[in-house]
């Protein structure tokens, strides 16, 4: 292919690739008059590359050389890049360094052929890299504490530890009660897309000190089941939601036991116990009901007047009552 200048003045050919692959070579000289030669060629560039996996330097000039129709083979002189970054809009270039950050770029290849220099340009985009679940390092277990759990997470792109607020943002869901909490990582800056991971919120173990002291109870002859208050710090737990209660040895005078067991589907685990006293008050002992050196059983008469008459019999409000 012969490029001719009317005044035989050295020129620089400017090759501009069009959408249909046509390249126009324009000869520039002092008179402004020049010959125009149209041929077809292209340089091979990736239409898009991904941040962290850039291959924008893979440029193939084979087609360009073929377009010269054997007149002269093009030798690469230089490659330069310029563009605009996606994460902040800063200008890039023109520099020889292959860009790696996300953005829209133009690569310009300068070649020499037949004693002349030509430039071929093409556009490409480096996209933000997608965040995927495998980037999230497994999250350790948490223990229920009545508050939303927000464990710190680590996100890595290979060996690179990403930065919260720069490379990604985090949201938490289902992170209050015992069970599976959910963390969602959303890419920002050089990253895009979302990925999810889960973590365990374990049941909290009940401890005996959670049961508030139970006052002494008066004997009634029937099972005594005083109200129980169970607290986790300042939080009052709810019977039937957080725990169930059963009683042991809660009829006769003496020491009774209350058993608090964590509700199966609640936020706590384990079983704890506490005791309370059943005592006789303003009552009367059954005559001869026990040896002299033993403590006689007491019976709560609720303030009524009583008088012992003989073994196992008292008069209450004028009526004889058998006491066993």
């Amino acid at each position: 292919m012969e490029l001719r200048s009317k005044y035989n003045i050295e020129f620089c050919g400017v090759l501009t690739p069009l959408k249909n692959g046509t390249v126009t070579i324009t000869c520039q000289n002092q008179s402004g008059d020049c010959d125009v030669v149209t041929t077809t060629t292209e340089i091979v560039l990736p239409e898009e590359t991904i941040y962290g996996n850039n291959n924008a330097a893979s440029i193939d000039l084979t087609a360009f050389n073929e377009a010269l129709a054997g007149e002269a083979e093009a030798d690469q002189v230089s490659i330069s890049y310029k563009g605009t970054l996606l994460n902040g809009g800063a200008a890039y270039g023109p520099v020889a360094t292959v860009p790696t950050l996300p953005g829209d770029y133009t690569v310009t290849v300068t070649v020499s052929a037949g004693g002349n220099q030509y430039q071929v340009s093409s556009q490409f985009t480096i996209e933000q890299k997608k965040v995927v679940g495998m980037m999230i390092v497994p999250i350790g277990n948490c223990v229920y504490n009545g508050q939303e759990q927000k464990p710190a997470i680590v996100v890595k792109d290979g060996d690179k530890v990403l930065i919260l607020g720069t490379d990604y943002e985090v949201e938490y869901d289902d992170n209050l009660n015992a069970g599976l909490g959910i963390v969602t990582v959303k890419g920002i800056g050089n990253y895009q897309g979302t990925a999810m991971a889960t973590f365990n919120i374990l049941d909290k173990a009940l401890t005996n000190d959670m049961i508030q002291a139970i006052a002494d109870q008066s004997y009634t002859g029937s099972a005594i089941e005083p109200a129980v208050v169970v607290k986790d710090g300042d939080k009052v737990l709810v019977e039937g939601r957080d725990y169930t209660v059963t009683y042991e040895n809660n009829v006769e005078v003496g020491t009774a036991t209350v058993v608090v067991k964590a509700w199966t589907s609640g936020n706590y685990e384990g079983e704890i116990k506490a005791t309370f006293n059943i005592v006789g008050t303003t009552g009367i002992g059954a005559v001869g009901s026990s040896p002299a050196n033993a403590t006689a059983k007491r019976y709560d008469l609720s303030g009524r007047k009583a008088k012992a008459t003989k073994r196992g019999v008292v008069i209450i409000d004028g009526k004889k009552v058998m006491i066993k």
Side-chain angles (χ1 to χ4, degrees):
M1 178 179 67
E2 181 181 357
L3 302 180
R4 300 183 304 277
S5 171
K6 183 175 181 179
Y7 296 100
N8 197 28
I9 296 176
E10 185 178 356
F11 65 89
C12 175
V14 180
L15 281 64
T16 305
L18 304 179
K19 292 183 179 180
N20 61 5
T22 299
V23 177
T24 300
I25 305 175
T26 304
C27 167
Q28 299 174 343
N29 53 48
Q30 290 181 349
S31 71
D33 187 12
C34 61
D35 296 328
V36 176
V37 179
T38 300
T39 185
T40 300
T41 187
E42 63 180 2
I43 60 173
V44 178
L45 284 172
E47 293 184 0
E48 61 184 22
T49 57
I50 304 299
Y51 170 59
N53 298 279
N54 178 54
N55 60 348
S58 301
I59 298 171
D60 186 356
L61 294 177
T62 300
F64 182 84
N65 289 324
E66 290 176 351
L68 294 178
E71 295 294 332
E73 183 173 345
D75 295 320
Q76 180 176 303
V77 176
S78 65
I79 300 178
S80 63
Y81 301 86
K82 65 178 180 179
T84 302
L85 304 183
L86 294 181
N87 58 339
Y92 182 88
V95 296
T97 305
V98 179
T100 59
L101 296 178
D104 296 317
Y105 299 94
T106 297
V107 57
T108 299
V109 182
T110 302
V111 297
S112 63
N116 300 297
Q117 285 193 344
Y118 307 92
Q119 288 185 329
V120 183
S121 298
S122 183
Q123 288 74 44
F124 67 98
T125 297
I126 298 179
E127 289 191 341
Q128 297 157 299
K129 192 169 186 177
K130 290 184 178 179
V131 174
V132 294
M134 64 183 299
M135 291 182 176
I136 305 173
V137 176
I139 306 169
N141 296 332
C142 301
V143 177
Y144 173 80
N145 63 4
Q147 300 177 353
E148 291 187 343
Q149 302 279 356
K150 296 183 178 181
I153 67 168
V154 177
V155 183
K156 298 180 70 175
D157 181 5
D159 294 330
K160 176 185 177 183
V161 178
L162 304 192
I163 301 174
L164 178 63
T166 299
D167 300 314
Y168 66 94
E169 296 174 340
V170 176
E171 293 180 355
Y172 296 88
D173 293 296
D174 295 333
N175 59 327
L176 175 61
N177 295 314
L180 278 181
I182 300 174
V183 59
T184 301
V185 174
K186 180 181 179 182
I188 59 175
N190 295 329
Y191 294 84
Q192 64 176 329
T194 58
M196 299 176 65
T198 60
F199 59 95
N200 293 315
I201 302 177
L202 305 178
D203 293 334
K204 185 174 184 177
L206 293 174
T207 56
N208 288 330
D209 59 356
M210 291 181 177
I211 302 178
Q212 305 302 292
I214 303 172
D216 291 349
Q217 304 293 308
S218 296
Y219 174 83
T220 64
S222 301
I224 299 176
E225 298 182 351
V228 177
V229 177
V230 182
K231 296 181 70 175
D232 180 6
D234 294 331
K235 177 185 177 182
V236 178
L237 305 192
V238 179
E239 183 178 357
R241 187 189 69 186
D242 298 314
Y243 65 91
T244 60
V245 177
T246 56
Y247 299 85
E248 299 174 352
N249 303 319
N250 60 326
V251 176
E252 301 296 336
V253 170
T255 301
T257 301
V258 59
V259 180
V260 174
K261 186 174 182 180
W263 191 259
T264 304
S265 58
N267 293 311
Y268 296 86
E269 64 176 0
E271 179 180 290
I272 55 178
K273 296 182 178 182
T275 60
F276 61 92
N277 295 317
I278 299 177
V279 298
T281 61
T282 63
I284 186 170
V287 178
S289 61
S290 60
N293 62 350
T295 302
K297 291 184 178 180
R298 304 293 295 177
Y299 297 90
D300 188 359
L301 303 175
S302 301
R304 295 175 295 175
K305 294 180 179 181
K307 179 181 179 181
T309 58
K310 59 182 180 179
R311 182 187 178 98
V313 178
V314 296
I315 298 175
I316 301 176
D317 290 340
K319 296 181 180 180
K320 289 183 178 182
V321 178
M322 293 296 295
I323 299 179
K324 297 181 180 181

